[in-house]
Amino acid sequence: MPPYVRIDRVTKRFGSQAAVNDVSLDITKGEIFCLLGASGCGKTTLLRMLAGFETPSTGQIWIDGVDVTHVPPYERPVNMMFQSYALFPHLTVENNVAFGLRQDGLPAGEIRDRVAEMLAMVELKGYERRRPHQLSGGQRQRVALARALVKRPKLLLLDEPLGALDRKLRERTQFELVSIQERLGVTFVIVTHDQEEAMTLATRIGVMSAGEILQVGAPTEVYEYPNSRFVADFIGSVNLFEGRLLDDEPDHVRIECTELGYPIYVDHGISSSPDAKVSVALRPEKISLSRETPAAVPGRQPENIAAGMVTDVAYLGEVSRYLITLDGGRKVRVSQPNLHRHAERIGWDERVWLSWEPSAPVVLTQ
Amino acid sequence: MNRRLSPFILTMLCLGFAFLYVPIILMVVYSFNASRLVTVWDSVHSPTLKWYVELMSNGEVLEAARLSFKVAALNATGSTILGTLAAFCLVRFGKFRGRSLFVGLTTAPMVLPEVITGLSMLLVFVAMEQVIGWPAGRGATTITIAHMTFCLAYVTVVVQARLSTFDRSLEEAALDLGARPAKVFFVITLPIIAPSVVSGWLLAFILSWDDLVITSFVSGPGSTTLPQLIFSKVRLGVSPDINALATLLVLTVTIAVIGVGLALQRRERRLVLEAEEAREVPA
Amino acid sequence: MSTGSSDLGRGWSRLQVGRRLVLGVPYLWLCLFFLVPLVIVFGISFSTPKIAMPPIEPLVSYGADRVLQLRLYLSNYTFIAQDSLYVAAFANSLKVAFVSTVLALLLGYPMAYGIARAPRNWRSVLFLLVVLPFFTSFLLRVYAWIGLLSRAGPINTVLLKLGIIHEPLVMLQTDFAVYLGMVYSYLPFMVLPLYSAIEKLDPSLLEAAADLGCRPIKAFFRVTLPLTSEGILAGCLLVFIPSVGEYVIPAVLGGPGTLMIGRVLWEEFFNNRDWPLASAVAVLLLLLLVGFIVVLQRVQAREPASE
């Protein structure tokens, strides 16, 4: 099956600056695709090119088999939910939602029915005659969603859809958004800088930086198997170590790491030449702390361990975060779930051992 | 702030406002004076409305007022259309060729002394008449064109100020929902900036209604506006019927400005109130 | 909703045409009725008067031998430079405008300060009271002073009754009346930018100054005044620039000896029907103002760099 949305080698330059640099991306029908990146990474520009507000400098955009690269926004089968919601302040809720249908010249009866149906779906029945300034933030967000969805677009673009809501409301709305998407089967493209938002909403995430897409994959994929130092560092929290490949077998690799004082053993192979310099990413929650020296695997040198002093502890309820200074001076972040209420927790200035499973580290050659 | 104003500031405020308003108030009072010697109060026959009656039967004044009103209304409409377009170009079109010249052309008429504007306008009308035969002679048409040119600048400033705080995503949302650019302008942009367009229109009307210098250059025989008529009388000294006329004009403008001010204030208060109500209802 | 590939970019090119149209109308209007007229004034200032309609010697003409000739006369400019009347008029215009601006600032600043620091519900009323005169006829407001200043007017009457003077003062048709009219007419232009500058000023800055041991008067000169300097500059420009070319006030309130350049231009044009000379005066006045603004911009541009 051909991809539903195809972005083909698109570059957008503003002056000499490339906001989006040679990006290619396929999006399949019915998925929720998240463009994740820091502000200024080009994600919004890419979204605006999908909407038709910007024209690519080079490259093409195809939607459902049609080249829309030069089609103006008002002729595209695409609708957008704006970050500011962009509700027309001089129109009622009803007329805001009906606006798009009126542009298509649909009969009045059909417009009425579809608007009513949509308002029922976003639970805004009874608010038809209100103006945007008479609504709360959450209600405005739902009007904006209804207005963008009522035209049954092939593609719905959402620019930081939850950015303007407070934390409690945001969590509730995330699930509502997903359930509406599942019911209507519309393809969503969401732009966000909030990785938690991307992880909960997306079927796939595209991580962007400096106008380029670094990695595309399911949330678990980009978290567990980041393909670069940037992605590993950007999504979640991570400890990055520098090392040198000792042996490189098809089923495992061993890495010498002076910062840790012990070698790292990883239970999967990578394609790289021996002696190559590599980075190793290790998530804080994948490290265990103990007061005793961990037992080495029989018949092998001690590996996947390190020793240090606790320099900082933060008790956050569900987890505790530790900052450990290794004997070599390197600082490592560790988080431990608080499984037992009465456990004697490791505290300041204790000497501890760190250890992890051979499956935990990710070797980054980039 | 609840801090009290210092006596010095308070004195200056009173002096300043007295300075601004005493001449106008005296002019209004003397318009009810029966004596023809304007500065001497005739306490026997005053107050009287006789100068107002005389004014209403003065065909010259009525004719001039009619012409002034016609020119002001035409000018306000024309310069509002042109000025709104100009403001839209300046705010929306980004960099275009000739932009800095355009910016200069839209601001210069406000800075240029009126005598220069008036003289240059007259010369271009004379030149155009010689070359293309239009406008034939000078009168209401040339006055309106001249007024439109300098009022355009004021309308541009007013509308531009509103447009530059306009949330552009509103226009993009309308485009995204299928409205063509021209339709977006009329259905979304114009209704939202309407208050500034109306203010621009009123400003243009008042500027034109008041203008003496530019009008004097570009008007012809047989077309005398109200300010021109007043000026010709003023040069001969004070006269009670001008006091009456001035009173009528000042009162009209005052009532209009206060009315608009109150309406705007009430609208503002209503919007704030409604927004507060919305916040109390849980989402 | 979907678009075939055949009309690729059709919408965009139509958009370009629309943009040109929207921009073209006001642009052409301003070129035709503002830019071209200024060029014509410049051209005619090199002509000489002639008894005809229009009373100008054309610059371009066919000579006796049927050759196109361009004749430029510098006589207007040499005449202005040599006649002390014009030089005096230019100098006097600058003087009147400068003094009026300073007076308006001295009265306007405390007023603007008072309005900006007044209780909130009073502020909009006072603001409206400053704006209101702007909407009433300029000519009539100048006219209102004629009655006030005349020999038998209220000012003289009151002063005589109080015994302060024994002879009525001659105020009308003097330079004093012109200054009064200027300050009176342009005061709102001074107050408005000052008000918005002072209102923006955070009152806690003054509290901070007081907290650090600065007395109110000193705090005003050290904190308030520098932070409102942009408003002061804007207000002064709004008063100074129209005052230089003012015609109505000197014509109505000034005496025959009150020479101002706007009035000279008017009289050359209407009374002497010397259009070329009036044009030359206009060109010089324009150059004076442009020069003034350019110098001011230079000074302003240099300021932040030196700090």
Side-chain angles (χ1 to χ4, degrees):
Chain A
M1 194 179 77
Y4 195 58
V5 177
R6 156 158 277 176
I7 296 168
D8 189 17
R9 308 207 57 181
V10 163
T11 296
K12 176 67 185 181
R13 273 183 290 270
F14 294 109
S16 59
Q17 199 89 18
V20 170
N21 192 8
D22 198 24
V23 165
S24 293
L25 185 66
D26 288 344
I27 297 169
T28 47
K29 193 170 181 173
E31 78 170 320
I32 301 185
F33 191 92
C34 257
L35 284 167
L36 176 63
S39 65
C41 72
K43 58 188 194 305
T44 303
T45 308
L46 192 56
L47 193 78
R48 290 171 61 80
M49 285 194 282
L50 283 172
F53 300 132
E54 312 282 357
T55 325
S57 309
T58 58
Q60 265 128 36
I61 295 172
W62 299 72
I63 295 174
D64 199 13
V66 178
D67 181 349
V68 297
T69 316
H70 295 281
V71 175
Y74 45 89
E75 283 168 6
R76 287 193 189 203
V78 171
N79 286 125
M80 177 149 162
M81 198 182 114
F82 289 80
Q83 184 174 11
S84 62
Y85 307 144
L87 299 179
F88 306 131
H90 60 304
L91 300 181
T92 59
V93 166
E94 199 173 26
N95 286 333
N96 259 288
V97 177
F99 188 91
L101 299 174
R102 296 226 166 92
Q103 305 313 311
D104 291 349
L106 294 184
E110 191 185 340
I111 292 179
R112 206 172 40 241
D113 294 346
R114 277 170 71 173
V115 169
E117 181 194 349
M118 212 62 212
L119 285 177
M121 180 184 263
V122 296
E123 293 164 30
L124 278 175
K125 248 188 159 61
Y127 289 86
E128 288 86 352
R129 304 242 172 266
R130 295 239 186 152
R131 298 266 172 117
H133 73 268
Q134 293 168 292
L135 300 176
S136 71
Q139 290 167 337
R140 278 182 222 178
Q141 193 258 4
R142 300 209 300 269
V143 176
L145 183 65
R147 187 179 72 178
L149 278 171
V150 77
K151 287 189 82 170
R152 297 176 191 151
K154 292 186 172 171
L155 186 62
L156 184 75
L157 310 173
L158 301 97
D159 190 359
E160 306 273 357
L162 310 174
L165 302 179
D166 59 52
R167 198 181 164 75
K168 269 265 163 59
L169 200 57
R170 199 183 314 175
E171 277 169 16
R172 214 184 81 189
T173 315
Q174 279 174 355
F175 293 108
E176 276 178 8
L177 213 55
V178 174
S179 90
I180 286 176
Q181 193 270 345
E182 278 168 357
R183 239 184 302 166
L184 298 177
V186 177
T187 311
F188 276 25
V189 174
I190 299 176
V191 152
T192 181
H193 68 277
D194 182 341
Q195 46 147 323
E196 203 182 308
E197 196 172 307
M199 302 288 259
T200 28
L201 291 172
T203 48
R204 284 198 305 155
I205 293 175
V207 184
M208 278 190 84
S209 172
E212 288 176 39
I213 292 195
L214 298 180
Q215 187 174 6
V216 176
T220 48
E221 231 173 291
V222 287
Y223 186 80
E224 301 292 352
Y225 304 102
N227 67 355
S228 61
R229 292 181 59 118
F230 181 89
V231 175
D233 202 28
F234 186 75
I235 301 196
S237 149
V238 77
N239 298 295
L240 284 166
F241 302 102
E242 304 299 323
R244 191 171 60 85
L245 267 187
L246 286 177
D247 38 282
D248 183 10
E249 304 294 327
D251 67 330
H252 74 268
V253 289
R254 199 190 300 273
I255 295 153
E256 182 191 45
C257 180
T258 47
E259 291 172 308
L260 288 172
Y262 296 87
I264 302 170
Y265 179 91
V266 186
D267 68 352
H268 59 80
I270 57 161
S271 51
S272 191
S273 54
D275 257 13
K277 289 206 158 210
V278 291
S279 300
V280 179
L282 196 52
R283 300 275 182 205
E285 75 278 8
K286 296 203 164 57
I287 303 174
S288 325
L289 290 184
S290 67
R291 294 189 176 92
E292 295 83 38
T293 319
V297 179
R300 283 226 296 261
Q301 293 289 316
E303 54 201 6
N304 285 353
I305 57 171
M309 295 280 280
V310 176
T311 38
D312 204 356
V313 189
Y315 173 76
L316 301 177
E318 53 194 309
V319 293
S320 290
R321 298 237 166 97
Y322 292 87
L323 191 66
I324 317 284
T325 308
L326 299 185
D327 295 344
R330 166 72 200 258
K331 289 191 165 63
V332 178
R333 276 172 289 176
V334 178
S335 69
Q336 298 287 285
N338 291 316
L339 301 173
H340 307 289
R341 183 180 288 177
H342 301 294
E344 208 184 297
R345 294 189 186 89
I346 293 170
W348 266 275
D349 294 335
E350 279 194 67
R351 188 162 174 78
V352 288
W353 284 92
L354 289 66
S355 62
W356 54 89
E357 295 294 310
S359 62
V362 178
V363 183
L364 306 166
T365 47
Q366 270 188 299
Chain B
M1 252 200 321
N2 295 320
R3 233 181 315 149
R4 294 202 133 208
L5 294 174
S6 73
F8 168 71
I9 296 288
L10 218 56
T11 318
M12 290 306 274
L13 261 185
C14 294
L15 269 179
F17 280 112
F19 179 57
L20 281 179
Y21 282 95
V22 165
I24 296 176
I25 291 166
L26 277 176
M27 187 169 68
V28 172
V29 169
Y30 276 103
S31 74
F32 299 103
N33 185 6
S35 165
R36 182 161 279 284
L37 293 168
V38 206
T39 49
V40 180
W41 185 257
D42 177 357
S43 49
V44 182
H45 301 98
S46 304
T48 169
L49 285 175
K50 77 172 181 190
W51 305 115
Y52 290 89
V53 176
E54 204 160 281
L55 198 67
M56 285 305 139
S57 52
N58 185 335
E60 210 185 5
V61 169
L62 293 180
E63 181 56 31
R66 210 184 53 81
L67 177 68
S68 277
F69 189 87
K70 186 176 114 184
V71 167
L74 275 174
N75 152 69
T77 309
S79 58
T80 301
I81 293 170
L82 290 175
T84 306
L85 287 182
F88 191 80
C89 297
L90 285 173
V91 179
R92 284 285 180 273
F93 286 5
K95 279 186 193 151
F96 52 84
R97 224 184 309 152
R99 186 189 156 95
S100 39
L101 176 65
F102 192 57
V103 171
L105 287 176
T106 49
T107 41
M110 293 186 287
V111 187
L112 204 64
E114 284 187 295
V115 279
I116 298 183
T117 313
L119 176 67
S120 63
M121 291 289 235
L122 169 72
L123 294 180
V124 86
F125 291 140
V126 170
M128 279 172 74
E129 193 181 3
Q130 279 180 316
V131 177
I132 59 169
W134 183 91
R138 283 170 295 284
T141 314
T142 50
I143 301 174
T144 309
I145 292 174
H147 284 188
M148 272 169 73
T149 307
F150 89 93
C151 290
L152 190 167
Y154 288 87
V155 176
T156 306
V157 170
V158 172
V159 176
Q160 198 184 351
R162 175 66 189 90
L163 267 179
S164 55
T165 61
F166 188 96
D167 179 6
R168 205 169 170 179
S169 59
L170 290 174
E171 284 166 358
E172 288 179 343
L175 284 173
D176 183 67
L177 292 166
R180 284 163 188 285
K183 191 165 188 191
V184 172
F185 179 78
F186 286 108
V187 180
I188 302 297
T189 315
L190 202 55
I192 295 174
I193 63 166
S196 71
V197 174
V198 172
S199 328
W201 193 93
L202 286 173
L203 188 62
F205 186 94
I206 285 171
L207 286 169
S208 165
W209 175 258
D210 263 4
D211 181 72
L212 166 70
V213 176
I214 294 174
T215 312
S216 300
F217 279 94
V218 296
S219 70
S223 59
T224 305
T225 63
L226 201 54
Q228 282 182 289
L229 186 72
I230 295 171
F231 186 60
S232 63
K233 282 174 171 272
V234 162
R235 298 192 97 177
L236 302 175
V238 197
S239 77
D241 53 341
I242 296 188
N243 282 340
L245 181 61
T247 304
L248 286 181
L249 293 179
V250 166
L251 282 184
T252 321
V253 170
T254 308
I255 290 166
V257 169
I258 289 176
V260 170
L262 283 179
L264 285 179
Q265 208 173 20
R266 196 173 303 165
R267 191 183 122 97
E268 187 78 11
R269 246 182 239 158
R270 204 194 66 217
L271 288 181
V272 169
L273 223 75
E274 283 177 350
E276 270 168 13
E277 272 168 26
R279 221 169 291 133
E280 280 161 20
V281 181
Chain C
M1 266 208 276
S2 74
T3 318
S5 53
S6 59
D7 41 28
L8 247 185
R10 188 195 57 190
W12 282 111
S13 68
R14 217 178 331 150
L15 204 64
Q16 289 304 315
V17 174
R19 271 175 67 129
R20 296 246 166 85
L21 227 90
V22 166
L23 179 61
V25 173
Y27 212 141
L28 271 182
W29 180 284
L30 282 167
C31 282
L32 183 57
F33 293 115
F34 191 76
L35 194 60
V36 170
L38 288 179
V39 174
I40 293 179
V41 169
F42 188 71
I44 285 179
S45 72
F46 292 102
S47 173
T48 54
K50 127 183 158 180
I51 298 169
M53 186 60 214
I56 313 156
E57 188 77 52
L59 292 178
V60 181
S61 62
Y62 287 102
D65 44 358
R66 299 210 149 265
V67 178
L68 200 62
Q69 293 181 319
L70 173 70
R71 235 182 298 170
L72 296 177
Y73 299 87
L74 285 171
S75 53
N76 297 313
Y77 291 100
T78 51
F79 181 66
I80 291 171
Q82 279 157 10
D83 193 328
S84 62
L85 175 106
Y86 296 97
V87 180
F90 270 110
N92 197 45
S93 291
L94 288 177
K95 186 185 114 193
V96 169
F98 179 76
V99 173
S100 308
T101 306
V102 171
L103 291 176
L105 179 64
L106 290 180
L107 178 57
Y109 203 100
M111 276 183 82
Y113 193 89
I115 299 170
R117 293 281 177 265
R120 191 163 274 286
N121 43 343
W122 271 91
R123 226 179 289 172
S124 51
V125 176
L126 293 176
F127 182 79
L128 195 69
L129 279 175
V130 172
V131 181
L132 199 57
F134 175 76
F135 289 107
T136 57
S137 168
F138 183 80
L139 181 58
L140 288 174
R141 283 189 295 132
V142 176
Y143 159 80
W145 281 97
I146 297 182
L148 260 173
L149 296 178
S150 61
R151 256 184 91 81
I155 294 180
N156 271 325
T157 314
V158 170
L159 290 180
L160 281 171
K161 280 217 172 118
L162 291 175
I164 297 173
I165 53 169
H166 303 290
E167 281 281 295
L169 292 172
V170 178
M171 291 180 285
L172 213 55
Q173 301 203 329
T174 61
D175 282 3
F176 169 73
V178 173
Y179 286 124
L180 202 64
M182 289 277 192
V183 176
Y184 178 69
S185 304
Y186 292 116
L187 188 63
F189 289 102
M190 179 62 88
V191 175
L192 292 185
L194 284 176
Y195 165 77
S196 62
I198 297 169
E199 211 219 357
K200 257 188 281 170
L201 198 73
D202 185 353
S204 64
L205 289 176
L206 286 183
E207 289 167 357
D211 184 59
L212 296 169
C214 197
R215 291 178 175 285
I217 302 277
K218 210 170 169 192
F220 174 79
F221 286 103
R222 281 272 172 96
V223 179
T224 313
L225 213 53
L227 286 175
T228 52
S229 61
E230 260 176 47
I232 296 175
L233 189 71
C236 288
L237 276 182
L238 285 178
V239 176
F240 184 83
I241 288 182
S243 302
V244 174
E246 179 59 45
Y247 165 72
V248 174
I249 296 169
V252 173
L253 297 177
T258 314
L259 277 176
M260 284 192 72
I261 201 65
R263 199 176 173 192
V264 170
L265 193 159
W266 178 285
E267 276 160 10
E268 288 303 341
F269 181 85
F270 285 101
N271 304 0
N272 303 342
R273 287 185 65 77
D274 192 339
W275 292 16
L277 188 59
S279 298
V281 171
V283 168
L284 290 176
L285 175 55
L286 189 62
L287 288 178
L288 183 77
L289 287 176
V290 168
F292 177 74
I293 291 170
V294 167
V295 168
L296 212 70
Q297 269 174 342
R298 285 269 168 82
V299 172
Q300 237 186 330
R302 211 182 305 150
E303 253 175 18
S306 65
E307 271 172 27

